[in-house]
Amino acid sequence: MSQIAQRSLCESIEAMESAFRSAASGIDGLPVDDVVLLRMLQMVAPALEAAFGREVRKHAGIGKTEFRTLLLLLGSDGCAAPSELSDVDHLGRANMTRVADALVKRGLATRTADADDRRRISLCITAKGRKLVTRLVPGIASGETAVFEGIGMAQRRQVAGALRRLAANLDAWNRSQR
Amino acid sequence: MSQIAQRSLCESIEAMESAFRSAASGIDGLPVDDVVLLRMLQMVAPALEAAFGREVRKHAGIGKTEFRTLLLLLGSDGCAAPSELSDVDHLGRANMTRVADALVKRGLATRTADADDRRRISLCITAKGRKLVTRLVPGIASGETAVFEGIGMAQRRQVAGALRRLAANLDAWNRSQR
DNA sequence: AAAATATAGTTTGTTGATGAACTATATGCT
DNA sequence: AGCATATAGTTCATCAACAAACTATATTTT
């Protein structure tokens, strides 16, 4: 049994907000609305990912990152270089090696050397991998429908726009740190 | 040097969206808008947290979870039980033990037994811990201002509302899985 | 042509989280 | 009073990620 879920996520968010607002009343200059919003983001995103990960593990026996890599391969005509995949998924190359290892071990992808550039390999989804993705899509679709219930298209666009903006601001910040 | 940042986060988001849309054109029933939006969430939130974590590590020598626990203690009149803190921060109790260990080791918090309930302890922020939080607040404030630039109050409310809705839907989903 | 620099992928050790199991204690039920 | 159940916090093993360093190869510069 998970050792997290004493309270629900909603209850934790309420309690977190209350605690931060209380803390802010004794601290000058803390932009508590921003702190709370960022913390909500950082609580909800991992919780969504964890739930997705548990479903994928249960139904496919692989991790969420492995599954996502299969989707990304499908979006690249079936094959891609690990360095490309790690860029697209914003992960480390070392991690992508681990993910590739796991997929190859289960026969869901293959590694083949690049004919033109011997530094590179091509990771390609197999027929078994395609079948697995096809099998899980209905469950994914219904899960996502459930999770987005009550959030209209206009609000989703607002969220997407805000996330892009946050990413751009973070990129600018990271550039300024070097 | 970080092995992730070949591309910027923005570039990864564009590439991810393109790859998922391409994948979806060959897969019936994949709600690609939702997939993309969830994946953006799951890329941006950890990136923000990682950046914050690096700053905190650099300026305070502690992790982001340790720092956040100090803030939560301030919001609880200085003391709280680890089980309470883990609920508020939506973390495992085992993890909160690790966080408490780190804070106590650095003299930023103390553990004291509860007089009424010998199962419980109180984790209390020390004067040193308060000073550390006070010292970091200006940097946090400016970082958060930077990261939210270009996102107006109305849009922030839309994002907050969507996050609460996502949390509620996820709680409902988790309840239905038991 | 040779040397310097950059890129691709891997290996290794570390980190921060989790899940399971444990001990100690409190509460509720009979 | 005694037993069953629940809660609090800890320990331990595991996992999925990272950072650093490495080897091999390609490209650029001199």
Side-chain angles (χ1 to χ4, degrees):
Chain A
M1 188 268 286
S2 173
Q3 303 235 322
I4 293 183
Q6 316 318 307
R7 291 193 201 189
S8 67
L9 182 56
C10 280
E11 290 170 337
S12 291
I13 288 173
E14 295 304 322
M16 172 276 293
E17 178 168 14
S18 183
F20 279 153
R21 289 197 189 286
S22 182
S25 69
I27 302 174
D28 282 342
L30 188 72
V32 70
D33 287 340
D34 294 349
V35 168
V36 165
L37 187 49
L38 279 179
R39 186 60 201 140
M40 282 178 64
L41 196 57
Q42 292 158 0
M43 288 167 81
V44 171
L48 286 166
E49 196 162 14
F52 177 70
R54 287 193 293 276
E55 286 304 294
V56 166
R57 176 68 64 186
K58 193 166 86 181
H59 290 100
I62 59 175
K64 61 187 193 297
T65 308
E66 284 79 6
F67 184 80
R68 211 167 51 236
T69 298
L70 292 177
L71 277 188
L72 291 173
L73 287 174
L74 284 175
S76 306
D77 294 320
C79 296
S83 56
E84 207 176 301
L85 290 165
S86 66
D87 276 348
V88 169
D89 212 14
H90 211 67
L91 300 176
R93 286 171 302 167
N95 197 23
M96 192 50 66
T97 294
R98 180 186 63 76
V99 171
D101 285 347
L103 290 172
V104 169
K105 182 179 176 187
R106 287 182 140 83
L108 301 171
T110 55
R111 272 187 174 101
T112 56
D114 190 281
D116 299 317
D117 187 334
R118 284 160 61 186
R119 294 173 299 178
R120 292 166 69 94
I121 64 159
S122 268
L123 190 67
C124 300
I125 191 169
T126 58
K128 183 178 172 184
R130 286 177 196 272
K131 274 203 220 107
L132 186 148
V133 171
T134 300
R135 181 161 64 78
L136 264 66
V137 156
I140 290 171
S142 72
E144 303 217 355
T145 296
V147 119
F148 276 106
E149 187 177 352
I151 306 174
M153 290 306 154
Q155 193 171 14
R156 294 182 204 200
R157 281 194 291 275
Q158 290 283 331
V159 172
L163 289 171
R164 287 185 205 280
R165 188 78 218 189
L166 285 168
N169 291 345
L170 189 55
D171 284 337
W173 168 268
N174 285 332
R175 282 195 297 273
S176 76
Q177 295 306 295
R178 298 208 192 96
Chain B
M1 187 269 288
S2 172
Q3 304 234 322
I4 292 184
Q6 317 316 307
R7 292 194 200 188
S8 67
L9 182 55
C10 280
E11 289 170 338
S12 291
I13 287 173
E14 295 303 322
M16 172 276 293
E17 177 167 14
S18 182
F20 279 154
R21 289 196 187 286
S22 182
S25 68
I27 302 174
D28 283 340
L30 189 71
V32 70
D33 289 340
D34 294 348
V35 169
V36 165
L37 187 49
L38 280 180
R39 185 61 198 141
M40 282 177 63
L41 197 58
Q42 291 157 3
M43 289 168 81
V44 171
L48 287 167
E49 195 162 15
F52 176 69
R54 285 193 294 276
E55 286 304 294
V56 166
R57 175 68 64 187
K58 192 167 87 182
H59 290 100
I62 59 175
K64 61 190 191 295
T65 308
E66 284 78 5
F67 184 80
R68 208 164 55 236
T69 299
L70 291 178
L71 277 187
L72 291 174
L73 287 174
L74 284 174
S76 307
D77 293 322
C79 297
S83 55
E84 209 175 301
L85 289 165
S86 65
D87 277 348
V88 169
D89 212 14
H90 211 67
L91 300 175
R93 286 172 301 169
N95 196 23
M96 192 50 66
T97 295
R98 180 188 62 77
V99 172
D101 285 348
L103 290 173
V104 169
K105 182 179 174 187
R106 288 183 140 82
L108 301 170
T110 55
R111 271 186 175 102
T112 57
D114 190 278
D116 299 316
D117 186 335
R118 286 160 60 185
R119 294 173 299 176
R120 295 166 68 93
I121 64 159
S122 268
L123 190 68
C124 300
I125 192 169
T126 58
K128 183 179 173 185
R130 286 176 195 272
K131 276 205 218 103
L132 187 148
V133 170
T134 301
R135 180 161 63 79
L136 262 68
V137 157
I140 289 172
S142 71
E144 301 215 355
T145 296
V147 119
F148 277 106
E149 187 177 354
I151 305 174
M153 289 307 154
Q155 193 170 14
R156 295 182 202 198
R157 282 194 291 275
Q158 289 284 328
V159 172
L163 289 171
R164 286 184 205 279
R165 189 79 218 187
L166 285 168
N169 292 344
L170 188 55
D171 284 338
W173 169 269
N174 284 332
R175 284 195 297 274
S176 76
Q177 295 305 296
R178 298 202 193 102

